[in-house]
Amino acid sequence: MPQTSPAPSVRPRILADLTPLRTSVHYRRLWFGNTISWIGQGMTTLAISLQVYDITHSTFAVGLVGLCSLVPLLAFGLYGGAIADTVDRRRLGLISASGSAVLSAALAAAAFADFHHVWFLYGVVAFQSVCAAVNSPARSAMIPRLLPVEQLPAANALTSMTMTSGTLVGPMLGGLVVGFAGYQTAYAIDAVAFSASLYAMWRLPSMLPDRAEGAKKASVLEGLRFLATRPNLRMTFFSDFCAMILAHPRALFPAVAVVWYDGDARTAGLLVAAPALGAVLGGVFSGWQGRIRRQGLAILLAVGAWGAAIAVFGLTRNLWLGLLFLGFAGFADAISMAFRSTMLQAAVPDELRGRLQGVFLVVVVGGPRLGDFLAGSAADLTSPSVTVTGGGIACVLAVSLLALRWRGFARYDARDPQP
């Protein structure tokens, strides 16, 4: 009787799926280039805030840096997506990234020349946001042209790691560089770091949108009309609003650090870093995501997990336990973001991807700012504890009601992506 060899055991993948990096040289260059550029931009973001405070000694003046960044991103995000659906996305990415590199070089030159003026820094921040608002939709719309659809969840998990690592590592390096070598060195490093992203885009093939010959110019309204008639895509945005508007306690961290934990600015820094670290871990341990077909259900569960973690955080008075729940919330957010990005890339026709990525940019940027405002206002009327715990519970209830209203979203199947 012939002996049969045992079937090979299939070990479940736990760590991040690196298949996109192995199979596509273009994606690999783009990912490494973007990672380096994000770290450089994180350095510049902190350096500008430090320099503004050094000039003015005003926290209000530092706060205006964020406003100078937010307004152009919101204003140009949608139009950047429309442009990305009209022209060669590779060329648009090159031009916008080159603009960001030139602006960082201008910051370095001004610092070397002892040209320290707040209005100049505000202006550079605003123009950097315009470049980012144009670059981000074009870059995101390129990914489905470089990878097969089954690799998109892994690619978006890797992208989430890039973004979150930039917000963690960049500011830390920026603080060290400014402390040891001055603002000019941090800005110069950022300008040089853009060369990695520029090289990656330069090596890409042409990325003209897949539009019918003679089609009219892409318009923002056309993209919004498409979104209005596609319930699954709308739900990706509605679910994110539940988390980022109703249960986003970041604005309360300075008060929470003092009132709950009897801490100081360092404690507030730990609270800010915990969700980001959780998001990084969410990317590192994302190997299982490529096997998930019910991506809509995964988003609903991840947003519900975010809300539940924030609600429990509002009840804790032990710092390390609080950091643990914030880290878990960041982990859940990384899962939600990866699947939301995947659905936008897989279920949207190529000629509309830029505009939908522009909407995504506006939601991702604007939602947390609205959440900050709502949390701050509610805490003044009630208390930080009521605001945080109530916001987390509201998030869970809201996403549950949305799931009941649009039941098809939970049945969304990645094998047949329907917008």
Side-chain angles (χ1 to χ4, degrees):
M1 181 177 178
Q3 294 185 354
T4 58
S5 57
S9 62
V10 179
R11 290 182 300 175
R13 185 188 295 273
I14 298 176
L15 296 179
D17 184 358
L18 304 182
T19 302
L21 297 176
R22 291 196 298 265
T23 59
S24 173
V25 64
H26 290 306
Y27 176 79
R28 183 165 64 247
R29 290 196 197 102
L30 197 62
W31 186 81
F32 280 111
N34 289 339
T35 299
I36 294 172
S37 297
W38 266 92
I39 292 174
Q41 282 287 276
M43 292 176 59
T44 288
T45 298
L46 180 70
I48 288 176
S49 297
L50 293 174
Q51 190 175 7
V52 168
Y53 186 77
D54 192 27
I55 295 170
T56 65
H57 300 289
S58 166
T59 55
F60 175 76
V62 176
L64 286 179
V65 174
L67 186 63
C68 291
S69 174
L70 174 62
V71 172
L73 273 174
L74 296 179
F76 287 90
L78 297 178
Y79 290 100
I83 296 170
D85 285 338
T86 304
V87 303
D88 183 353
R89 290 163 180 162
R90 168 187 173 273
R91 181 176 298 178
L92 182 62
L94 277 171
I95 293 172
S96 53
S98 298
S100 295
V102 169
L103 289 167
S104 293
L107 286 171
F112 276 115
D114 289 328
F115 186 78
H116 303 299
H117 295 279
V118 173
W119 63 264
F120 174 75
L121 297 175
Y122 287 161
V124 170
V125 167
F127 281 112
Q128 282 179 330
S129 294
V130 172
C131 290
V134 174
N135 183 272
S136 181
R139 189 177 63 245
S140 298
M142 294 177 188
I143 305 303
R145 299 277 290 270
L146 300 176
L147 298 169
V149 67
E150 62 269 16
Q151 292 184 21
L152 291 180
N156 286 308
L158 291 170
T159 299
S160 174
M161 289 175 60
T162 291
M163 297 171 62
T164 313
S165 297
T167 59
L168 276 177
V169 177
M172 288 191 296
L173 289 178
L176 290 174
V177 171
V178 169
F180 284 104
Y183 303 113
Q184 64 274 12
T185 305
Y187 299 142
I189 291 174
D190 183 26
V192 173
F194 271 108
S195 61
S197 180
L198 290 171
Y199 174 74
M201 289 190 185
W202 179 67
R203 294 294 301 273
L204 288 173
S206 176
M207 288 279 179
L208 285 167
D210 186 14
R211 294 169 58 82
E213 188 174 348
K216 61 182 180 180
K217 184 178 179 181
S219 71
V220 173
L221 289 178
E222 183 184 4
L224 293 177
R225 281 194 294 266
F226 176 83
L227 179 61
T229 58
R230 301 303 190 273
N232 286 334
L233 295 182
R234 288 202 312 272
M235 274 291 290
T236 64
F237 295 113
F238 290 162
S239 60
D240 189 51
F241 277 141
C242 290
M244 293 298 103
I245 296 179
L246 298 177
H248 195 255
R250 180 181 58 188
L252 305 182
F253 285 163
V256 163
V258 175
V259 176
W260 292 1
Y261 304 119
D262 195 25
D264 52 18
R266 289 171 294 184
T267 309
L270 288 174
L271 295 174
V272 172
L277 181 58
V280 170
L281 294 176
V284 171
F285 297 101
S286 62
W288 54 273
Q289 293 181 13
R291 299 191 300 274
I292 301 300
R293 304 302 181 193
R294 301 279 293 277
Q295 295 177 350
L297 179 60
I299 292 171
L300 295 174
L301 293 175
V303 172
W306 164 280
I310 295 299
V312 176
F313 164 71
L315 300 174
T316 61
R317 294 301 179 266
N318 178 277
L319 176 60
W320 298 111
L321 189 60
L323 293 175
L324 177 64
F325 281 105
L326 286 177
F328 179 76
F331 190 97
D333 185 50
I335 295 171
S336 168
M337 183 174 180
F339 284 126
R340 286 185 291 113
S341 297
T342 298
M343 289 180 65
L344 282 174
Q345 292 168 341
V348 176
D350 184 71
E351 68 270 18
L352 289 164
R353 280 186 184 134
R355 278 163 285 184
L356 269 295
Q357 289 297 331
V359 177
F360 183 77
L361 175 66
V362 170
V363 169
V364 168
V365 172
R369 270 63 177 189
L370 290 174
D372 288 342
F373 174 76
L374 180 62
S377 302
D380 273 348
L381 295 174
T382 57
S383 69
S385 180
V386 170
T387 299
V388 175
T389 299
I393 294 172
C395 171
V396 175
L397 291 176
V399 78
S400 299
L401 291 174
L402 287 173
L404 291 174
R405 173 62 179 84
W406 286 285
R407 297 174 185 269
F409 185 68
R411 297 192 296 269
Y412 176 92
D413 192 330
R415 293 168 294 188
D416 182 27
Q418 298 296 323

